[in-house]
Amino acid sequence: ELDKVKNRIIGAAERSVEDITKIGDNLAFTHAVDGKVYDLDEDLAILKGVTLEQVQARAKEIFKSPPSVSVHGNDLSKLPSYEQISAAFGQERTLDERGLVVQTEQEAAAALARAVAPGKAPVLPPVVDAPSEAPSASDYSGKPEVTVLENGLKVITQRMPTKQIFANVRVGSGERNETAEQAGLATIASETSDAASQRFSIAEKSEAVANLRGVFSSRCGLETTNFNIRAANEFTGEALQILAENFTAPRFGAEDVEKQRDIVQKTFKSTALDAQYNTTEQLNRMAFPGSQMDKDSLGSSDIVGKQSFEAVKQFRDQHYTADNMILSVVGDVDHAEIVKLAKAQFGGIKAHPETPRPPVPKATYRGGMEIKSNDASDQVTLRIGFEGSDSSDPKTIQVDSLLASILGGGFSSRLLSKLRSEKGLVYGVGAGNSPMKDCGLFVIATGTHQDKVGQVMDTIAEEVTKFAATVTQKELDTVKNDKLGTYERALAEPTSVSSLLSNKLAKGEVWDVKESIQTIKDVTLDDIKKRATEIFSTAPAIAAFGKGVEKLPSYEEISEKFGKRRTLDASGLAVDTAPAHDRSVKGAEVSAQPQDKKRAIG
């Protein structure tokens, strides 16, 4: 546990050395508190030198001090007395008339000593008691177990030594929506279920409220809707019952659907001037034309506004079926017991294997350019996309993720170092790959003033085109260590483990934690170079939104900066070879009104 946290903190510190905000804070803080100049190497040396014995000793010292307790909520008469609470933490203490702890003479003396101590780390006392042999939270008791119920529901569990369980019902396989209308319906259905469950189920389970954590949440993304609940071990049955009731006895009516439909509509309308949303949608249209991904991801305000209670109910009946669901439960659980509970709670959900859903047509990457002029945004928000990896190959996914981290994954990344630290052109820039079942999109995202947009594009192109030839082993090792530290700490959280389990099972695979970690470790410098060459040889997809987008170079010029001159057809989509008579054309046609959308024509 200590090593994992150490690696994570050290990695974050080393990667933030070019973050002038953090350096400024550290300079001011250390000088004010310690009267000395901040030294990263010194801090790292101290951090690396921390021992398990020191952590154990500090834990004892911290948790033997009197607890401070604050509570807000209903019916606080059920809260134990301070004497009972403090006793539960190891030593019973009493309060004076002001609600403050009555200190012993020894405690008062210790507090005074701490108050007047010089600004140096105290010398930690040796550990007296033997260390606890409690297991690490990320230790796994065996591999995940899977059972498919008679109605087609898949049940997967992972045993972890925790005092609570996290249960997740995943509806859908993670594929893209067949139509924008279905996406809108999925949003309304999941949001209505969310509100109804919070309103009804928890009130009926009042005896478990103190032990239910997070209670209920849902999130709609593409073809997947997730329903989650967290509970203490002893309330596993109640937690699964609450989840199941969302499918076996959904308790919402026409008024509930209408309310959520109006909320979703307002969300759509609020995105009209949202630069991040607009550029994402523009990029999808340029990257995957002719697929459902080239539409607004959740349909439109008009489409959502037409959905009736009957339409939402019909959507649920068609999609919220047992054969389209995965139940994952993570915690100190017995697989056979979870299967038994699942049969009791979810066994009544019907399957519809006789009406299988037609496959979604494969999305084919194309590339192109679309810009939207809008004076509501003072800067140009920019997205540059390339063909990324799909979700079929775990190794390629990890290669692309590491590549993105080196290029634009933090303050020490190449793009941020160059664009922000050296040239002062942007506030932030990031890179990442979004893998889906049949396609993937590698994206570089940033924003800048209209007068600097040409310089930003030039700098990005320069860094991208030289990346494969100049990336180093040191850069790869740095992002590897950071990713492994983040990944290993995430695996101590049942929520993350549950998500990984259901994601893999949706693709017909069973997740193996050791295999996943080894996949990251196995990535080589040659893998990074090869993928960089493959990704950046594809036609760029350019999306821009904001004031002054017309100052962007033409698509021909931009594509040539990225290595190959390309032109656009009448739809704004990339054509590999630029006709000679088009090569002198510069500029783009842009929309004059905020909500008009037109392709940028080179």
Side-chain angles (χ1 to χ4, degrees):
E1 290 175 307
L2 175 59
D3 288 341
K4 288 177 183 177
V5 174
K6 265 192 183 182
N7 291 337
R8 178 68 181 132
I9 297 175
I10 291 170
E14 289 177 338
R15 296 189 67 206
S16 67
V17 292
E18 296 176 29
D19 184 347
I20 56 176
T21 305
K22 289 184 179 178
I23 291 175
D25 287 344
N26 286 329
L27 286 172
F29 180 81
T30 54
H31 199 276
V33 175
D34 298 333
K36 64 180 184 180
V37 176
Y38 169 66
D39 188 326
L40 174 63
D41 291 335
E42 184 180 330
D43 273 9
L44 291 176
I46 293 172
L47 182 63
K48 292 174 182 178
V50 173
T51 66
L52 183 60
E53 290 73 22
Q54 288 175 319
V55 172
Q56 290 170 332
R58 274 299 289 157
K60 286 188 176 183
E61 188 172 80
I62 291 169
F63 299 128
K64 74 180 180 183
S65 62
S68 297
V69 182
S70 65
V71 184
H72 176 85
N74 294 324
D75 199 7
L76 300 185
S77 61
K78 295 182 179 181
L79 190 73
S81 68
Y82 185 81
E83 288 77 7
Q84 293 171 303
I85 293 173
S86 59
F89 281 97
Q91 182 178 341
E92 183 174 329
R93 295 174 169 91
T94 58
L95 301 177
D96 62 19
E97 66 279 0
R98 297 170 298 171
L100 300 177
V101 171
V102 178
Q103 290 184 314
T104 64
E105 292 184 6
Q106 182 180 5
E107 288 170 343
L112 179 62
R114 286 194 297 272
V116 300
K120 293 183 178 180
V123 177
L124 299 173
V127 178
V128 177
D129 297 335
S132 169
E133 295 298 327
S136 165
S138 59
D139 287 341
Y140 295 87
S141 302
K143 292 186 176 183
E145 296 184 69
V146 181
T147 297
V148 181
L149 303 187
E150 292 181 0
N151 60 359
L153 177 77
K154 301 178 184 69
V155 181
I156 183 168
T157 65
Q158 172 68 64
R159 192 161 191 173
M160 294 175 65
T162 60
K163 297 298 183 184
Q164 59 180 358
I165 63 100
F166 179 85
N168 166 275
V169 175
R170 173 190 177 117
V171 183
S173 63
E175 295 181 5
R176 293 173 290 107
N177 284 287
E178 296 170 20
T179 66
E181 182 178 14
Q182 286 183 333
L185 284 166
T187 304
I188 299 171
S190 63
E191 293 299 327
T192 308
S193 297
D194 187 2
S197 291
Q198 292 191 57
R199 189 165 63 247
F200 295 117
S201 299
I202 300 310
E204 295 176 5
K205 300 292 178 186
S206 57
E207 76 280 3
V209 166
N211 296 279
L212 292 172
R213 305 295 174 84
V215 185
F216 183 90
S217 64
S218 68
R219 182 182 65 205
C220 175
L222 299 176
E223 275 294 347
T224 302
T225 303
N226 293 304
F227 298 88
N228 310 317
I229 198 164
R230 188 190 297 268
N233 287 344
E234 58 267 33
F235 290 101
T236 298
E238 286 85 347
L240 294 187
Q241 182 182 347
I242 290 174
L243 280 178
E245 286 173 352
N246 290 286
F247 311 103
T248 59
R251 288 162 293 186
F252 59 83
E255 290 185 4
D256 300 300
V257 169
E258 183 178 348
K259 181 179 180 180
Q260 295 304 320
R261 183 189 64 204
D262 291 344
I263 292 173
V264 174
Q265 266 196 296
K266 290 176 181 177
T267 302
F268 275 116
K269 291 177 181 178
S270 70
T271 63
L273 301 179
D274 184 276
Q276 307 299 327
Y277 181 88
N278 274 278
T279 50
T280 299
E281 295 301 310
Q282 291 171 257
L283 193 68
N284 284 339
R285 283 192 287 273
M286 295 296 95
F288 304 109
S291 71
Q292 287 303 325
M293 291 180 67
D294 71 359
K295 312 286 192 304
D296 285 348
S297 61
L298 295 182
S300 70
S301 178
D302 291 340
I303 289 176
V304 170
K306 296 175 182 177
Q307 305 308 325
S308 63
F309 170 68
E310 289 73 22
V312 173
K313 186 175 183 303
Q314 183 180 16
F315 177 87
R316 285 181 56 93
D317 291 343
Q318 290 176 343
H319 293 262
Y320 286 38
T321 57
D323 53 299
N324 200 34
M325 293 182 188
I326 296 172
L327 168 65
S328 63
V329 184
V330 177
D332 191 9
V333 296
D334 177 74
H335 181 74
E337 182 62 26
I338 295 298
V339 170
K340 181 179 177 182
L341 289 171
K343 287 180 178 179
Q345 302 294 352
F346 293 85
I349 301 176
K350 295 181 180 179
H352 294 285
E354 70 279 3
T355 56
R357 299 174 62 189
V360 179
K362 180 177 174 61
T364 303
Y365 181 84
R366 178 76 177 269
M369 185 170 177
E370 180 177 298
I371 61 179
K372 283 177 66 175
S373 177
N374 196 297
D375 290 344
S377 176
D378 289 332
Q379 70 168 9
V380 174
T381 299
L382 185 65
R383 296 281 189 275
I384 305 170
F386 301 90
E387 185 173 6
S389 58
D390 60 31
S391 59
S392 63
D393 183 3
K395 173 72 175 289
T396 305
I397 291 174
Q398 296 299 350
V399 173
D400 287 6
S401 176
L402 294 168
L403 191 163
S405 294
I406 297 171
L407 185 64
F411 280 98
S412 61
S413 67
R414 290 191 171 200
L415 287 177
L416 200 58
S417 296
K418 183 69 70 173
L419 287 167
R420 174 170 162 164
S421 301
E422 292 185 27
K423 298 188 176 184
L425 295 172
V426 304
Y427 177 77
V429 60
N433 181 59
S434 300
M436 283 165 275
K437 187 170 184 179
D438 61 350
C439 61
L441 188 60
F442 190 98
V443 181
I444 298 170
T446 189
T448 190
H449 189 271
Q450 57 179 305
D451 293 336
K452 298 178 180 179
V453 70
Q455 290 175 269
V456 168
M457 188 66 78
D458 287 348
T459 304
I460 292 174
E462 179 185 354
E463 292 300 314
V464 163
T465 52
K466 72 180 184 181
F467 185 88
T470 60
V471 63
T472 66
Q473 186 65 48
K474 182 179 179 181
E475 288 177 307
L476 176 57
D477 290 342
T478 298
V479 297
K480 258 193 189 183
N481 291 336
D482 184 62
K483 188 175 181 66
L484 286 169
T486 304
Y487 188 64
E488 289 178 351
R489 288 191 68 201
L491 297 182
E493 168 54 49
T495 309
S496 302
V497 175
S498 178
S499 177
L500 287 165
L501 287 173
S502 57
N503 283 341
K504 284 285 188 179
L505 191 57
K507 297 188 293 183
E509 304 170 9
V510 177
W511 172 63
D512 186 323
V513 58
K514 293 181 180 178
E515 182 180 315
S516 297
I517 291 175
Q518 191 60 47
T519 299
I520 299 172
K521 293 180 177 179
D522 288 344
V523 174
T524 67
L525 188 61
D526 285 340
D527 292 331
I528 298 291
K529 292 179 178 180
K530 180 181 177 183
R531 276 299 292 158
T533 301
E534 292 172 349
I535 291 169
F536 301 130
S537 65
T538 60
I542 311 293
F545 177 93
K547 189 176 183 179
V549 292
E550 64 276 1
K551 294 186 178 182
L552 269 169
S554 69
Y555 185 79
E556 286 190 347
E557 294 173 287
I558 293 173
S559 61
E560 190 166 32
K561 293 177 191 295
F562 282 100
K564 183 177 181 180
R565 192 176 183 89
R566 295 175 167 94
T567 190
L568 299 175
D569 65 15
S571 298
L573 300 174
V575 180
D576 254 2
T577 305
H581 65 275
D582 285 342
R583 292 185 178 176
S584 62
V585 180
K586 182 179 178 180
E589 178 185 342
V590 298
S591 59
Q593 299 301 320
Q595 296 187 29
D596 288 342
K597 298 176 181 177
K598 291 187 178 180
R599 305 274 192 236
I601 309 300

